[in-house]
């Protein structure tokens, strides 16, 4: 087994997606606030909110560590908690804002809910760099997953990636991540 060591260098943030709006920036900023909230309440630095017809109708912060439920990512948790209250027709009109690019599991939940638009903050590449994971030559990104399984869902991002990188760099050193084991901080 190879141990992954957290990166000591800062990943280079990508430029903001030029198709994102000022409103998108406002709500990605709120998703980052929800990610900070998660870290202060036993979760990992991921947050999501659902915006529909001019208002925020749902917010959720990652609670994987505090609940022990590995499916409580911000996006999956939000969709699970609010799907009994929101029908698919309404989900289709919504934008899901996330602090970090949705993983494959969360893309499945996005597909099942019928969400029409996703805007994410930090991409998976910088996050994997922070984890110390090797660079993947052909990473499977949320945009590609959703284009294949949910062609009506439009995906935008990254947006405000530097802010997200700073949040993850602050949180992850010395903590375990999925698929990696942190280096011993005493060595």
């Amino acid at each position: 087994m190879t141990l992954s060591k957290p990166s000591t260098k800062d990943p280079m943030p990508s430029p903001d997606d030029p198709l994102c709006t000022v409103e998108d920036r406002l709500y990605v900023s709120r998703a980052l606030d929800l990610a900070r909230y998660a870290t202060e309440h036993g979760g990992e630095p991921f947050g999501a909110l659902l915006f529909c017809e001019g208002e925020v109708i749902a917010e959720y912060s990652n609670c994987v560590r505090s609940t022990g439920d590995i499916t409580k990512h911000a996006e999956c948790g939000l969709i699970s908690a609010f799907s009994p209250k929101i029908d698919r027709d309404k989900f289709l009109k919504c934008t899901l804002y996330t602090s970090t690019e949705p993983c494959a599991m969360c893309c499945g939940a996005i597909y099942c809910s019928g969400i029409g638009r996703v805007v994410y903050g930090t991409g998976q590449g910088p996050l994997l760099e922070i984890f110390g994971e090797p660079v993947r030559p052909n990473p499977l990104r949320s945009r590609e997953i959703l284009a294949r399984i949910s062609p009506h869902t439009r995906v935008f991002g990254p947006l405000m990636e530097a802010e997200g990188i700073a949040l993850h760099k602050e949180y992850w050193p010395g903590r375990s991540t999925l698929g990696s084991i942190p280096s011993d901080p005493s060595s």
Side-chain angles (χ1 to χ4, degrees), residues 27 29-39 44-49 58-62 78 97 99 167:
Y27 293 113
S29 180
R30 177 63 186 149
L32 288 164
D33 289 342
L34 292 166
R36 282 185 205 88
Y37 175 88
T39 65
E44 295 173 339
F46 303 95
L49 65 94
E59 295 184 335
Y60 202 89
S61 294
N62 174 291
L78 183 146
Y97 290 96
S99 60
L167 178 62

Side-chain angles (χ1 to χ4, degrees), residues 1-172:
M1 172 192 270
T2 304
L3 299 181
S4 297
K5 294 185 179 189
S7 175
T8 56
K9 68 177 182 116
D10 286 340
M12 180 65 90
S14 298
D16 287 347
D17 183 332
L19 298 176
C20 291
T21 66
V22 171
E23 184 175 78
D24 292 335
R25 189 172 197 78
L26 174 71
Y27 293 113
V28 166
S29 180
R30 177 63 186 149
L32 288 164
D33 289 342
L34 292 166
R36 282 185 205 88
Y37 175 88
T39 65
E40 296 162 2
H41 293 87
E44 295 173 339
F46 303 95
L49 65 94
L50 199 59
F51 180 84
C52 192
E53 299 172 337
E55 67 179 321
V56 174
I57 60 172
E59 295 184 335
Y60 202 89
S61 294
N62 174 291
C63 57
V64 168
R65 290 181 188 267
S66 61
T67 63
D69 182 344
I70 60 171
T71 68
K72 293 299 182 186
H73 291 196
E75 303 91 334
C76 276
L78 183 146
I79 292 166
S80 176
F82 291 94
S83 63
K85 303 169 184 108
I86 302 170
D87 65 34
R88 279 184 64 88
D89 289 336
K90 186 157 187 162
F91 268 127
L92 182 61
K93 298 173 190 170
C94 292
T95 297
L96 176 67
Y97 290 96
T98 68
S99 60
T100 306
E101 184 176 5
C103 71
M105 175 181 72
C106 292
C107 286
I110 291 164
Y111 159 70
C112 289
S113 70
I115 290 172
R117 185 170 183 263
V118 175
V119 180
Y120 66 87
T122 304
Q124 75 168 238
L127 186 62
L128 292 175
E129 267 187 71
I130 291 166
F131 290 169
E133 296 290 328
V135 175
R136 296 177 182 157
N138 296 305
L140 186 57
R141 307 293 302 267
S142 62
R143 187 173 274 113
E144 181 181 353
I145 294 169
L146 289 166
R148 289 180 180 200
I149 66 173
S150 186
H152 75 275
T153 302
R154 295 168 298 139
V155 180
F156 301 90
L159 184 61
M160 301 176 64
E161 192 166 62
E163 291 89 334
I165 288 170
L167 178 62
H168 285 290
K169 287 286 290 185
E170 180 181 319
Y171 177 82
W172 288 108

